Amino acid sequence: MHRIAVISDTHGMLRREVLDYAGNCEAILHAGDTGKREIIQKLKKIAPVYVVKGNIDKEWADIPEELYFGLYGFNFYMVHNRKHIKADISKTDIIIYGHSHIYKEEYLKDILYLNPGSCGPGRFRLAITMAVITLDEKEHKFSVEKINCLHKDTGQKAENTQKDMYNIVKKVIKDMESGKEISVIAKRNSIQEELTEKICRIYSTHQGIDVDGILNRLDIWNL
């Protein structure tokens, strides 16, 4: 059995909880937006690090934008933004990505798509999360454990807020598409008109954007 730490969107911050979990793993996967070179250097002192470049990782980040590699008999592909997948992933077992700050596990054509969420600074009042993948090399099986990197009660509250915000944004979009006015939408969803207007503006000015993308732009929810 081999334990692999999976993190993303540290944005220049390494929490003690992240270091504790990573310290019990044989490798660390970082799906981008490290924020500082020092983050990678600290992680390398713990275990081998596989990292890709995120949208905030600028000139200093001499790291690839996508990475295809093998670990203990499993094929991994990693990229910061899922929309930017370029490589042939037909023989991939696990795809790691980040960017949205929202934890997600999804299987498509027997491939696991895993977003460990963000384990950096609190943002949008979302949960602070990472993942640990356990690889069974002999049986060629794996399991995924979602890790809340905050106190249990705080983490659960953050997850509930995340789900609430996700559902609110979906309802606001639906009301907007049906032609309702900002004031009406705000009242129907029990939120401020300022927030309603911002959601509507983001949705109308970013063609093809989804709920996760809108949440990723709501800076007023920063902690």
Side-chain angles (χ1 to χ4, degrees):
M1 297 292 185
H2 306 276
R3 288 168 57 84
I4 311 298
V6 185
I7 64 176
S8 188
D9 296 271
T10 47
H11 287 258
M13 177 182 183
L14 274 178
R15 295 176 180 269
R16 170 49 55 189
E17 296 91 342
V18 174
L19 294 174
D20 288 345
Y21 278 105
N24 294 316
C25 294
E26 296 177 56
I28 303 170
L29 315 185
H30 194 311
D33 275 4
T34 57
K36 294 180 181 178
R37 189 190 306 275
E38 291 76 16
I39 298 294
I40 302 174
Q41 293 172 342
K42 288 181 180 179
L43 292 174
K44 284 183 176 180
K45 293 179 181 180
I46 300 173
V49 176
Y50 298 80
V51 58
V52 291
K53 189 173 184 178
N55 53 282
I56 72 162
D57 300 323
K58 303 302 181 182
E59 293 78 9
W60 62 267
D62 185 21
I63 48 182
E65 293 185 357
E66 57 179 348
L67 201 58
Y68 191 91
F69 56 96
L71 281 175
Y72 307 109
F74 293 83
N75 294 323
F76 286 79
Y77 172 80
M78 188 159 60
V79 67
H80 180 59
N81 189 332
R82 179 171 171 171
K83 294 180 180 179
H84 297 163
I85 293 176
K86 300 175 183 177
D88 178 6
I89 58 173
S90 59
K91 296 182 180 180
T92 303
D93 297 300
I94 302 172
I95 293 176
I96 307 294
Y97 67 102
H99 187 58
S100 73
H101 292 227
I102 297 175
Y103 188 96
K104 188 173 185 179
E105 294 179 37
E106 182 181 17
Y107 283 89
L108 295 173
K109 297 181 179 179
D110 295 324
I111 298 174
L112 170 64
Y113 288 71
L114 173 63
N115 184 338
S118 169
C119 60
R123 207 174 175 202
F124 329 124
R125 298 183 183 175
L126 300 183
I128 308 299
T129 60
M130 61 178 287
V132 172
I133 300 176
T134 300
L135 304 175
D136 185 337
E137 186 175 9
K138 184 177 180 179
E139 300 292 334
H140 196 72
K141 297 179 181 179
F142 64 84
S143 61
V144 182
E145 180 184 4
K146 178 181 179 181
I147 306 294
N148 270 314
C149 298
L150 293 176
H151 184 273
K152 182 178 180 181
D153 294 339
T154 305
Q156 186 61 53
K157 182 178 179 180
E159 283 198 27
N160 290 339
T161 304
Q162 172 184 332
K163 293 175 182 177
D164 291 343
M165 279 302 300
Y166 190 94
N167 291 330
I168 286 172
V169 172
K170 284 181 65 176
K171 292 176 182 178
V172 169
I173 291 173
K174 184 177 180 180
D175 287 344
M176 177 186 172
E177 290 179 336
S178 66
K180 292 181 174 63
E181 296 182 357
I182 296 294
S183 59
V184 176
I185 298 174
K187 187 175 181 179
R188 280 169 55 86
N189 294 285
S190 301
I191 58 176
Q192 297 177 344
E193 288 191 21
E194 179 185 2
L195 176 57
T196 305
E197 191 276 333
K198 187 163 189 176
I199 294 171
C200 293
R201 184 172 69 251
I202 294 172
Y203 182 69
S204 62
T205 57
H206 293 76
Q207 185 176 4
I209 195 169
D210 58 11
V211 176
D212 289 346
I214 293 174
L215 286 171
N216 198 33
R217 290 169 172 80
L218 290 178
D219 296 334
I220 59 174
W221 285 93
N222 287 357
L223 290 177

